[in-house]
Amino acid sequence: MPCKGAAVRFDPCPTAGDDKEILMFTTRPELRGTFGMVASTHWLASATGMAMLERGGNAFDAAVAAGFVLQVVEPHLNGPGGDMPLLAYRADTGDVDVICGQGVSPRAATIAHYRGLGLDLVPGTGLLAACVPGAFDAWMLLLRDYGTMDLAAVLEPAIGYAAGGYPLVPGIVEAIGAVADLFRDEWPSSAAVYLRNGAPPPLSELFGNAALAATYRRLLAESAAAGGSRENRLEAARDAWYGGFVAEAIDRFCRTQAVMDTSGARHTGLLTGDDMAGWRATVEPPLSLDYHGWRVFKPGFWSQGPVLLQQLAMLADMPLAGMDPLGTDFVHTVTEAAKLAFADRDAWYADPLHVDVPADRLLSAGYAAARRALIDPQASSATLRPGDAGGTPFMPSGTAMAAAELRAAGAAGFGEPTVQHTGAMPGDTCHLDVVDRWGNMVSATPSGGWLHSSPVIPELGFCLGTRAQMFWLDERAAAALKPGIRPRTTLSPSLALGPDGGIAFGTPGGDNQDQWSLVLFLRWLHHGLNAQAAIDAPMFDMVHFPSSFYPRATVLNRLKMEGRFAPAVMAALRDRGHQVDVEADWSRGRLSMAGRRGDALFAAANPRFAQGYAVGR
């Protein structure tokens, strides 16, 4: 592993336009220690995870406790009704596992049903977009089979924040403000939780969710009443969620409430208690790829995770280490590889339990070489080019729209834009990474069940997710809607093992996740940046696909770059044909990383939006 610290220093005021100064710039030090590290998108979650390590828990216990706190303190980014994939590395066995917390579509969810309602897209909000909420069972499975602590211990901090309150961040207040009219006019149960005297809560006060605290307390009571071993009590909690009072409340709400959604009409939901009872989180092997001495692991083709592996396969023979990581060649090369990989995502990726995904072909060296040959080193591609991975690819497409038109229309559709007044928003998310003193690692990306997804279920204090909006209502699409299958989610944690250690890393960001994570990994591995410097460095991403989120608009050949890139680099990229959008200086990505090299541990977290933090010792 290359040295990650020698060339990096703390410098809060780098010289503008000086690439070397920018690359040496870190907003904070990379944390280093030997006991444990937790990095996440919220400081309270990171502190909670560290508290579990201090109590003797392992990385898996810490991740569960931090994950439940994220549901409370980032309700605009995830919730108990959401979903989550995670990667778990067990140091004692050397195994990497995927725990799939992506719930499936309801059994009644057919294309014909939605078409019969006059819909050509699954709405971006409301009950019609709800799948089985999978995050809870994924956390329970991790705790039962990998962790050591009781449910009461890992839930205690989340209950404390829900009952006693937590400090608000501006993003929560802004999200509530964007949908306040919707809450007042259409979703009174959400207004009861999130509005104060009809208005968003002030930043100055602590904010809680008493109904959610009561849900978790009841869950603990039913778990304790079951008695027996730790595993038996955890099973009782899972049963209460998917076959008991939680499932009953969800079933009743979906059957009896007609909810306004982004279609402009009110609809009841399709999710039932039987859908809940018939699903559990699963453990499955990851997909992986060898890259410059490292093995990189991702979830399967039901996620967009393989996009990162496809990009690495295309870039493996490129001279990236010799390119300036803030320069024209690096940005161009990485962007063009991303365009090809994302085209394959939309043409081929789907739930492999129900769709014949050409997985071996997509990840083969020969296919990567053929795709690599399409990259013009001097010209940007302006067309969608999915590959022939076993037949003629079908590329679904939403409304063709230029990026400026999309913004002018006020429609959410890419990455992580602000919440719209209708509740439409493409999946802002959370992320957390943990490594403990034994070398265990977790990378998890919880999302969905956002406060603007659908109305709060009063008895539970949370709302359902909207992941079904990622299905296409077109039978020709790989990711077409079918009953009882996983939507092709954008959620995509990452883990990599190398010669003397490993890293867990990731980010929120919808369609951008496997772009930002890739750039972080490449700069860290090839350019000698430590984790914090690699996160802090100016970030970029492209838009060249049908969006995964409602209203599924298609925008091509847009390159979004933080304004800290040198003007000459942006000009050179425009000369190569890229349509460059200059974004705010600190606006792209919410990355974090935790890892081990030898006996030493390290971690770093994103400073953007003044929320993410790493802790450790």
Side-chain angles (χ1 to χ4, degrees), residues 311 315 320 329-338 518-519 522 540:
Q311 291 174 90
L315 295 170
L320 296 181
D329 288 340
F330 181 83
V331 175
H332 173 80
T333 303
V334 171
T335 296
E336 293 305 298
L518 175 75
V519 173
L522 294 175
F540 63 93

Side-chain angles (χ1 to χ4, degrees), residues 226-616:
S229 66
R230 184 184 79 98
E231 291 75 15
N232 189 69
R233 296 192 301 276
L234 285 168
E235 284 303 297
R238 298 174 79 188
D239 290 342
W241 192 275
Y242 290 96
F245 77 97
V246 174
E248 291 167 1
I250 290 173
D251 180 286
R252 184 167 53 250
F253 194 81
C254 287
R255 281 188 291 106
T256 63
Q257 301 300 308
V259 169
M260 176 65 71
D261 57 42
T262 51
S263 72
R266 299 178 183 88
H267 297 106
T268 55
L270 300 177
L271 189 62
T272 68
D274 288 342
D275 293 320
M276 297 279 292
W279 182 88
R280 289 293 186 276
T282 54
V283 178
E284 60 185 57
L287 297 176
S288 62
L289 183 82
D290 289 325
Y291 181 84
H292 288 261
W294 285 74
R295 192 154 191 86
V296 183
F297 299 88
K298 299 293 291 187
F301 281 95
W302 49 269
S303 77
Q304 77 174 14
V307 161
L308 188 140
L309 302 182
Q310 285 196 251
Q311 291 174 90
L312 288 175
M314 281 184 272
L315 295 170
D317 293 336
M318 299 285 195
L320 296 181
M323 297 180 185
D324 177 355
L326 299 183
T328 304
D329 288 340
F330 181 83
V331 175
H332 173 80
T333 303
V334 171
T335 296
E336 293 305 298
K339 289 178 180 178
L340 294 169
F342 275 82
D344 281 342
R345 178 197 71 170
D346 290 300
W348 300 109
Y349 290 20
D351 185 348
L353 296 178
H354 299 270
V355 178
D356 185 15
V357 179
D360 292 342
R361 172 68 174 155
L362 288 168
L363 295 179
S364 69
Y367 185 78
R371 301 294 275 161
R372 184 187 309 118
L374 297 176
I375 298 175
D376 186 331
Q378 296 300 321
S380 166
S381 170
T383 59
L384 286 171
R385 296 185 291 175
D388 178 357
T392 303
F394 173 75
M395 178 63 72
S397 180
T399 303
M401 191 178 295
E405 293 174 317
L406 187 69
R407 286 193 295 269
F414 294 100
E416 298 180 286
T418 56
V419 186
Q420 305 300 306
H421 70 281
T422 59
M425 175 185 174
D428 207 344
T429 300
C430 304
H431 186 79
L432 64 92
D433 301 298
V434 187
V435 59
D436 65 26
R437 61 189 183 275
W438 301 288
N440 300 307
M441 292 189 293
V442 177
S443 179
T445 310
S447 186
W450 313 298
L451 64 86
H452 52 278
S453 295
S454 61
V456 166
I457 301 172
E459 305 98 302
L460 302 177
F462 64 82
C463 59
L464 295 173
T466 55
R467 194 62 59 181
Q469 69 182 287
M470 296 187 173
F471 287 115
W472 290 98
L473 300 182
D474 186 331
E475 295 86 349
R476 297 170 296 173
L481 175 66
K482 296 177 184 177
I485 73 170
R486 293 172 288 187
R488 194 269 302 147
T489 179
T490 54
L491 304 178
S492 188
S494 303
L495 196 146
L497 299 176
D500 63 344
I503 51 173
F505 60 105
T507 179
D511 292 311
N512 297 327
Q513 289 182 31
D514 286 299
Q515 300 188 64
W516 295 334
S517 290
L518 175 75
V519 173
L520 167 66
F521 179 66
L522 294 175
R523 287 171 170 170
W524 180 84
L525 181 65
H526 288 308
H527 299 111
L529 300 183
N530 73 23
Q532 191 63 55
I535 289 171
D536 287 350
M539 185 55 72
F540 63 93
D541 55 84
M542 64 85 198
V543 181
H544 189 79
F545 40 67
S547 171
S548 295
F549 298 91
Y550 184 91
R552 311 306 298 269
T554 298
V555 172
L556 301 179
N557 198 29
R558 308 301 300 189
L559 178 58
K560 296 179 178 293
M561 304 180 71
E562 287 186 342
R564 293 181 292 144
F565 278 92
V569 171
M570 296 181 189
L573 289 163
R574 289 189 177 102
D575 287 342
R576 296 189 190 187
H578 295 278
Q579 303 297 309
V580 176
D581 291 338
V582 181
E583 306 290 333
D585 284 359
W586 294 88
S587 62
R588 314 305 293 165
R590 296 175 62 212
L591 291 147
S592 64
M593 179 187 285
R596 177 183 63 84
R597 45 181 179 263
D599 294 329
L601 309 179
F602 63 95
N606 170 58
R608 296 164 178 87
F609 314 113
Q611 192 169 318
Y613 253 93
V615 296

Side-chain angles (χ1 to χ4, degrees), residues 47-58 61-62 65-66 149 153-154 156-157:
T48 296
M50 193 67 200
M52 297 300 123
L53 296 179
E54 297 285 1
R55 294 183 192 178
N58 61 23
D61 299 312
M149 302 181 81
V154 298
E156 177 187 3

